[in-house]
Amino acid sequence: MRTSPVIHPAVLAVLAIVSVQFGNAIAGSFFSEVGPLGAAALRLGLAAAILLVAVRPRVRGWDQRTWIGVGMLGLGLAGMNLLIYQAIASIPLGVAVTIELLGPLAVAVAGTRRWRDLSWVGLAALGIVGLWLSGGEGGGSLALAGVLAALGAAVFWALYIVASARLGPRARGVDGLAMAMLVAAIIVVPFGAAPATAAVAVEPLLLLVFVGIAVMTSAVPYALEFVALKRMPTRVFGVLSSLGPAVAAVAGLLVLGQALDALQLAAIAAVIIACAGAVATAPRPPLIAAEAVPPAE
């Protein structure tokens, strides 16, 4: 009797990262039509609808603390998605995702007094300085608005991780995540409804495009991560998640034509090593668990 081949969980985790970052790159390629706010509104609104239909969350019996947790998780999702799209509108995708990765790094080393952990922070700081010194495309300096938006996305990613870790035990499966996605859509859609509606009215096929983007950045990654996390330690998953900026750099090059120079690539590598090292050497499992590492943004 033949058994069906089993895909290694690490492969599933990497495929989830690829799906997210290429989905973000494709979304960025439509900024000229819908703008970053419109893209974020379409992506979150459609992703919320898909998750609610697929998951059909059971909310009966949730207490006040659970609902507060859902609200905080939704706020984290909203801020991450809104700000990372604002960032990649003005700085390269790989750079934006690298800066955003500072959020999980901050959570992983929060409260530490160990020199080893502080060294990871220092390495990440050197990477960010390298990105700043390298400048943007064409040799100019990085757009300050884009850098600040990416830093804001990092803050909201940290909020997402903390809120997700606290909500996880209080809600069944991904019910909390599905409701949090609805909260995020309620927050973000009003900001981008006007440009999104105007663009879709002119080109209705954009709606189908963003259904695909919502699936690539939400449904597919969450499914792959869910399966992967059943068969691999969360710490290993956290290390693999640090590959996001590298995949984003490739997606930015192939989809958006954003070539990075040697200094930018070295800076991105420094941040990736810092984040992976902080997770791998943490004295206890960091707050990067099944629900705590989102396909970001």
Side-chain angles (χ1 to χ4, degrees):
M1 179 178 178
R2 297 181 62 184
T3 58
S4 56
V6 177
I7 301 177
H8 195 282
V11 174
L12 297 178
V14 172
L15 287 175
I17 297 169
V18 171
S19 183
V20 170
Q21 299 306 338
F22 273 85
N24 283 336
I26 293 170
S29 69
F30 288 94
F31 280 0
S32 59
E33 286 87 352
V34 300
L37 292 178
L42 284 169
R43 181 256 160 129
L44 276 177
L46 292 168
I50 292 169
L51 277 177
L52 288 174
V53 171
V55 176
R56 290 182 291 179
R58 302 174 187 175
V59 301
R60 181 178 297 180
W62 282 6
D63 58 17
Q64 184 179 20
R65 290 184 63 186
T66 302
W67 282 110
I68 291 174
V70 167
M72 296 304 293
L73 192 60
L75 179 61
L77 273 168
M80 284 166 53
N81 286 276
L82 190 64
L83 290 172
I84 197 61
Y85 276 17
Q86 289 290 105
I88 64 179
S90 55
I91 62 178
L93 175 61
V95 174
V97 174
T98 301
I99 297 173
E100 187 189 27
L101 197 61
L102 295 180
L105 174 62
V107 174
V109 301
T112 185
R113 294 182 179 179
R114 301 189 310 162
W115 282 107
R116 182 168 56 186
D117 293 329
L118 295 177
S119 69
W120 296 129
V121 174
L123 180 60
L126 285 176
I128 297 303
V129 170
L131 287 175
W132 182 260
L133 293 176
S134 70
E137 294 180 282
S141 60
L142 289 174
L144 180 60
V147 173
L148 292 177
L151 287 171
V155 172
F156 279 103
W157 195 354
L159 170 63
Y160 178 96
I161 292 170
V162 174
S164 181
R166 293 179 178 177
L167 177 63
R170 307 184 66 87
R172 180 187 67 90
V174 293
D175 288 358
L177 177 63
M179 293 304 297
M181 188 70 79
L182 176 61
V183 171
I186 291 172
I187 293 172
V188 172
V189 167
F191 289 100
T197 302
V200 171
V202 173
E203 184 52 77
L205 282 178
L206 281 173
L207 192 60
L208 185 60
V209 169
F210 275 91
V211 168
I213 290 170
V215 170
M216 287 184 70
T217 56
S218 297
V220 169
Y222 286 135
L224 291 174
E225 289 175 354
F226 184 76
V227 175
L229 279 161
K230 284 185 174 181
R231 296 159 44 203
M232 70 188 304
T234 55
R235 181 174 297 193
V236 175
F237 182 82
V239 172
L240 288 173
S241 296
S242 300
L243 295 173
V247 177
V250 174
L253 174 63
L254 296 180
V255 179
L256 301 173
Q258 297 174 337
L260 301 177
D261 61 29
L263 179 55
Q264 289 173 323
L265 293 174
I268 290 173
V271 176
I272 291 173
I273 293 170
C275 294
V279 173
T281 62
R284 55 186 175 81
L287 295 177
I288 303 180
E291 295 93 353
V293 183
E297 347 32 64

